[in-house]
């Protein structure tokens, strides 16, 4: 039963974060925020695999600050302002 609840929660989180993922994907490939996030994802996986939970937790907290989100929102606003021109 717990895995069912966990799966349901994971699906909810995925749906809620989808809009931000899509915005981030609108940035050009190789753009600094996308590259930085990808590198952090790889470091997070390595820390978890190595059992370094405290370090992974710190990196995750730093990672989820709105750096990429802010960049993605800015890109979206720029796109929308060009539509209104």
């Amino acid at each position: 039963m717990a895995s069912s609840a966990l799966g349901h929660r994971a699906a909810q989180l995925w749906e809620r974060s989808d809009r931000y993922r899509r915005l981030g994907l609108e940035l050009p490939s190789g753009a600094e925020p996308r590259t930085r996030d990808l590198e952090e994802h790889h470091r997070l996986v390595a820390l978890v695999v190595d059992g370094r939970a405290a370090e992974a937790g710190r990196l995750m907290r730093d990672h989820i600050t709105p750096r990429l989100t802010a960049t993605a929102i800015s890109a979206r606003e720029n796109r929308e302002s060009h539509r209104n021109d």
Side-chain angles (χ1 to χ4, degrees):
M1 190 59 134
S3 64
S4 175
L6 182 60
H8 178 70
R9 183 66 177 145
Q12 286 179 322
L13 291 171
W14 182 265
E15 289 173 21
R16 290 180 183 167
S17 64
D18 188 53
R19 76 185 103 189
Y20 301 107
R21 259 191 317 282
R22 282 185 274 127
L23 287 171
L25 291 173
E26 290 180 11
L27 297 172
S29 180
E32 192 268 337
R34 282 183 69 179
T35 302
R36 181 187 58 233
D37 275 11
L38 181 61
E39 290 169 356
E40 288 179 358
H41 292 172
H42 288 287
R43 283 198 313 254
L44 280 165
V45 169
L47 289 169
V48 169
V49 168
D50 290 345
R52 296 161 60 188
E55 290 175 73
R58 281 191 297 275
L59 179 56
M60 179 55 85
R61 280 186 292 281
D62 292 344
H63 177 75
I64 61 174
T65 57
R67 295 175 307 183
L68 179 57
T69 301
T71 303
I73 289 170
S74 176
R76 179 178 150 191
E77 289 171 349
N78 286 338
R79 184 187 69 221
E80 289 175 355
S81 71
H82 285 88
R83 285 183 190 166
N84 296 327
D85 289 343

